[in-house]
Amino acid sequence: MQLQQWENLWLLKFNLEKCKVMHVKYNDNPLNQYSFNGVILESIDQEKDLGVITCSDLTWTEQINSCISKANRMIAWVTRNFIMRNK
């Protein structure tokens, strides 16, 4: 309700296609369904924001796997594109 009042006061509309709900799996979260202006918001398990992957169980496994994958791609690119690899 307060977000709708803020939206009307400042004449700035939320993009409901980008609004999502992440239920943090901590302290027996009831997993309620949320709506905004009559639109039910999508529920997600993980989200990438500013390059950091945040998961609902608050573990860093997905973020670490993403960084390792990116590093391996860079190593493969370097070894593929440099002919001479002596020290």
Side-chain angles (χ1 to χ4, degrees), residues 73-85:
R73 285 193 307 269
M74 185 59 67
I75 289 170
W77 180 86
V78 168
T79 56
R80 189 173 54 246
N81 290 307
F82 285 92
I83 297 170
M84 219 170 153
R85 290 179 281 197

Side-chain angles (χ1 to χ4, degrees), residues 6 15 18 20 24 30 33-34 40 52 64 71 81-82 84:
W6 181 92
N15 185 348
K18 292 183 179 181
K20 300 172 186 164
V24 177
Q33 194 174 43
Y34 296 94
I40 296 175
V52 177
I64 292 168
N81 290 307
F82 285 92
M84 219 170 153

